[in-house]
Amino acid sequence: GVHRQGLLATLGWFVGYQLVKRAEYMHAKVDRELFEYIRHHPVDFHASAEKKRIGQLLEDFHPIR
């Protein structure tokens, strides 16, 4: 009946909440590790002096027909 639907909806909400919380924790953990690596190895991640435009990054378009 209705009480079973309410129970399952509450259970589904709780499980979904826990899964989202765990996923956010895992992503935050990976971000923290990556930023720490970047902080300890700045030579590997130096910013280029000149900014490239999108036209310089993409290959020239040659239509097939």
Side-chain angles (χ1 to χ4, degrees):
V2 176
H3 65 284
R4 195 173 299 155
Q5 289 177 341
L7 177 65
L8 291 177
T10 304
L11 182 64
W13 176 84
F14 180 75
V15 170
Y17 175 78
Q18 294 298 322
L19 288 174
V20 167
K21 199 164 111 173
R22 177 161 171 77
E24 288 177 353
Y25 169 76
M26 296 301 285
H27 289 123
K29 184 178 171 184
V30 169
D31 286 347
R32 186 173 56 243
E33 291 170 356
L34 288 175
F35 286 133
E36 189 68 17
Y37 182 82
I38 291 170
R39 192 171 68 86
H40 286 296
H41 301 87
V43 177
D44 296 337
F45 300 96
H46 64 281
S48 63
E50 63 182 43
K51 295 278 186 179
K52 292 187 177 182
R53 298 182 61 92
I54 192 72
Q56 295 170 332
L57 297 175
L58 299 175
E59 297 177 6
D60 291 335
F61 174 72
H62 301 290
I64 294 177
R65 304 203 236 166

